[in-house]
Amino acid sequence: MTEKLNVTIAVTGLNNTDNPGPGIPVIRGILESDKINARIIGLAYENQEPGIYLSDLVDKTYMIPYPSVGKEAYMNRILQIHKKDPIDLIIPNLDAELFTFMTSENVLKQNNIHTFLPTVKQFEERQKGNLQEYGEKYNIKVPKSISITSYTDIPRIDSEFDYPVLVKGKFYDAYIAYNPDQVVNHFNKISAKWGLPVIIQEFIRGTEVNVIALGDGEGETIAAVPMRKQYITDKGKAWSGVTLGDENLLNITNRLMRESKWKGGMELEMIKTVDNEYFLIEINPRIPAWVYLAVGAGQNIPEALVLLGMGQNVFPMKEYAVGKMFIRYSYDLIGDISDFEKISITGEL
Amino acid sequence: MKLKKNIAVSESGFVFDPNSGESYSLNPTGREILNLLSEGKTGEDIKGLLMDKYDVNPSTFNLYFDDFVQMLRHYNLIESEE
């Protein structure tokens, strides 16, 4: 039997709330691995992220500032933590922090901190505002979309789209608008929260289907599991889902991986129309929060990402169980105010 | 009329379409029809078998049978018409 890889892994996205980050399911996958012996460091932005208090999953948590403080200050905090509590690998799980980590890869590498992230070029070309060009480049159907930065762009929608349209934030949030007034309303809400641009996208009727995938950066699909959400919360998040045996989705994923040489985890969000056409509506450049379904279906994506990040070879996983379901649940953790005090005052727990 | 491949019909009458992720519940008659379809029986075979087996008025049976087949087609569970 081969020896387990001893590794200290820092993970963000511990916000296992009604809009869950992927951190906790990523950690569960890693801890279930029979190839990895992991010590988990949680990196939290808010002192009430549930993962901080899940001591059977997270060994130690440190507070970190939001990426908006600037790359230097952000990385200084990461390296300060690293100095005190050495990190072998970081898995960033939130869209808004990815750019900072990707552009700090060299600094991290110099400090012996590994990552397994897409390149800036890969990250940028799949941005929502660039989806049109992405579709053309990789020969995949995408809904028409434009980026708008002010009210003066809104009249353009009338001439270029049929209502309803989707109004999307650059990182998160999507609302349907049936008229220009609703676009204004959503534009205000989204731009205040996520900044500009705001994306206007053609509304494609059909069923949303998703694929979680992991690319090795050389064109190989290491893992891919398609899923359909069965129950969606009022925040638009999956509360339950089931794995699909849709070969078309796997073929699309493999082709995108091969041609884009995607490195790292990703989620493809697609709409399947009644005519069996597939439209790519979004690529999330990181592991999604439903990753544990893939683990349960037989593809431990977090484990594979850790091994790849640590420079090990991973064979592509081709099999998974179709018809595996996940259902989220809420659970009241009981803690002591002294833990809350500690994380609030000292920034660690 | 052919049941699409990979469509799973359990003994309890639960149908799962792995391609779409949709699931359905059948009553015992629906289950019997789907089982016969998965055995490769044609629509006419199934009609004959069920009318022999049950005491049912043919015109009423045909009405319900056609309605059921229409539903299977609507939910994309059968390949194509005979």
Side-chain angles (χ1 to χ4, degrees):
Chain A
M1 198 179 136
T2 50
E3 227 171 86
K4 281 188 173 185
L5 176 73
N6 286 309
V7 58
T8 298
I9 305 165
V11 178
T12 66
L14 305 182
N15 50 323
N16 219 32
T17 60
D18 56 346
N19 180 8
I24 295 303
V26 163
I27 294 168
R28 286 181 73 196
I30 293 168
L31 295 182
E32 285 178 19
S33 166
D34 56 9
K35 298 182 181 118
I36 300 166
N37 188 19
R39 177 168 179 274
I40 302 292
I41 292 179
L43 301 174
Y45 293 103
E46 297 287 341
N47 56 17
Q48 289 194 57
E49 292 181 24
I52 300 169
Y53 305 95
L54 286 163
S55 55
D56 50 342
L57 297 176
V58 181
D59 296 290
K60 176 89 184 178
T61 301
Y62 296 93
M63 297 297 293
I64 54 172
Y66 279 101
S68 53
V69 294
K71 192 164 89 176
E72 207 182 325
Y74 188 87
M75 278 303 143
N76 281 345
R77 174 60 177 151
I78 300 289
L79 294 176
Q80 184 191 36
I81 295 165
H82 177 58
K83 204 170 169 190
K84 185 176 172 189
D85 201 347
I87 299 165
D88 296 311
L89 174 84
I90 292 187
I91 306 179
N93 285 306
L94 304 170
D95 292 9
E97 66 196 11
L98 278 175
F99 192 80
T100 306
F101 278 104
M102 286 184 311
T103 52
S104 305
E105 220 171 339
N106 285 339
V107 181
L108 293 167
K109 208 181 279 174
Q110 281 159 17
N111 285 278
N112 289 321
I113 302 175
H114 298 77
T115 53
F116 200 72
L117 298 170
T119 63
V120 172
K121 184 173 162 275
Q122 289 169 339
F123 179 83
E124 287 298 333
E125 71 176 2
R126 54 90 250 165
Q127 293 273 28
K128 289 178 202 176
N130 301 333
L131 199 63
Q132 207 80 47
E133 295 79 13
Y134 192 88
E136 281 163 25
K137 183 172 175 187
Y138 295 107
N139 192 24
I140 184 165
K141 288 194 178 83
V142 295
K144 182 179 178 177
S145 52
I146 56 168
S147 298
I148 63 169
T149 50
S150 79
Y151 290 145
T152 55
D153 293 325
I154 292 175
R156 266 179 75 192
I157 299 169
D158 258 338
S159 56
E160 296 186 33
F161 293 87
D162 289 325
Y163 279 99
V165 293
L166 279 168
V167 187
K168 293 179 142 187
K170 62 177 174 179
F171 293 127
Y172 297 106
D173 281 349
Y175 300 97
I176 297 179
Y178 291 87
N179 55 48
D181 290 341
Q182 289 181 353
V183 173
V184 171
N185 190 15
H186 299 319
F187 178 88
N188 286 338
K189 212 168 2 180
I190 290 171
S191 58
K193 202 166 169 192
W194 302 112
L196 295 168
V198 167
I199 289 93
I200 304 297
Q201 196 174 80
E202 178 189 359
F203 181 74
I204 306 283
R205 286 176 206 282
T207 307
E208 185 182 331
V209 282
N210 304 288
V211 184
I212 181 173
L214 176 66
D216 70 352
E218 287 167 20
E220 186 71 70
T221 307
I222 297 296
V225 178
M227 180 275 285
R228 192 191 134 188
K229 295 172 185 174
Q230 289 185 302
Y231 185 89
I232 298 171
T233 67
D234 54 1
K235 286 210 161 93
K237 304 295 158 190
W239 196 257
S240 68
V242 62
T243 56
L244 303 176
D246 187 334
E247 287 293 328
N248 292 326
L249 282 172
L250 292 174
N251 291 339
I252 291 169
T253 307
N254 290 335
R255 190 163 57 78
L256 273 184
M257 286 290 186
R258 197 168 50 242
E259 291 177 15
S260 71
K261 295 190 166 40
W262 184 267
K263 187 180 172 194
M266 65 137 75
E267 180 190 27
L268 294 174
E269 293 186 0
M270 310 202 61
I271 298 287
K272 183 182 176 185
T273 67
V274 283
D275 303 323
N276 281 330
E277 285 188 305
Y278 294 81
F279 283 82
L280 177 68
I281 52 169
E282 204 166 311
I283 295 181
N284 289 318
R286 37 104 195 134
I287 289 176
W290 57 273
V291 58
Y292 195 71
L293 176 67
V295 179
Q299 296 196 2
N300 193 334
I301 290 175
E303 172 196 78
L305 188 142
V306 169
L307 295 175
L308 287 168
M310 294 307 292
Q312 300 211 355
N313 278 332
V314 179
F315 290 108
M317 295 177 258
K318 300 288 184 196
E319 304 294 324
Y320 63 91
V322 173
K324 278 281 171 200
M325 263 185 81
F326 79 91
I327 301 178
R328 294 208 168 115
Y329 68 106
S330 57
Y331 185 92
D332 300 334
L333 275 177
I334 303 298
D336 197 89
I337 192 73
S338 61
D339 286 343
F340 181 64
E341 176 195 344
K342 210 169 161 211
I343 191 85
S344 304
I345 301 293
T346 66
E348 57 185 88
L349 181 67
Chain B
M1 183 167 64
K2 238 171 106 182
L3 197 62
K4 277 199 171 170
K5 64 170 189 170
N6 298 335
I7 300 285
V9 186
S10 76
E11 280 184 21
S12 64
F14 184 80
V15 179
F16 176 61
D17 178 353
N19 209 42
S20 69
E22 292 284 3
S23 54
Y24 313 89
S25 299
L26 295 171
N27 65 14
T29 318
R31 190 178 71 211
E32 205 170 346
I33 295 172
L34 254 68
N35 283 338
L36 290 166
L37 268 179
S38 58
E39 284 170 17
K41 300 273 192 297
T42 66
E44 287 308 311
D45 292 341
I46 296 170
K47 277 184 185 179
L49 284 164
L50 292 186
M51 279 198 287
D52 284 348
K53 188 173 174 186
Y54 299 107
D55 180 18
V56 57
N57 172 306
S59 61
T60 308
F61 178 82
N62 278 327
L63 194 69
Y64 281 112
F65 184 81
D66 292 345
D67 187 48
F68 182 67
V69 169
Q70 204 52 44
M71 203 186 295
L72 295 179
R73 192 163 289 130
H74 174 77
Y75 289 121
N76 238 338
L77 296 172
I78 48 178
E79 292 281 9
S80 58
E81 290 178 48
E82 276 173 35

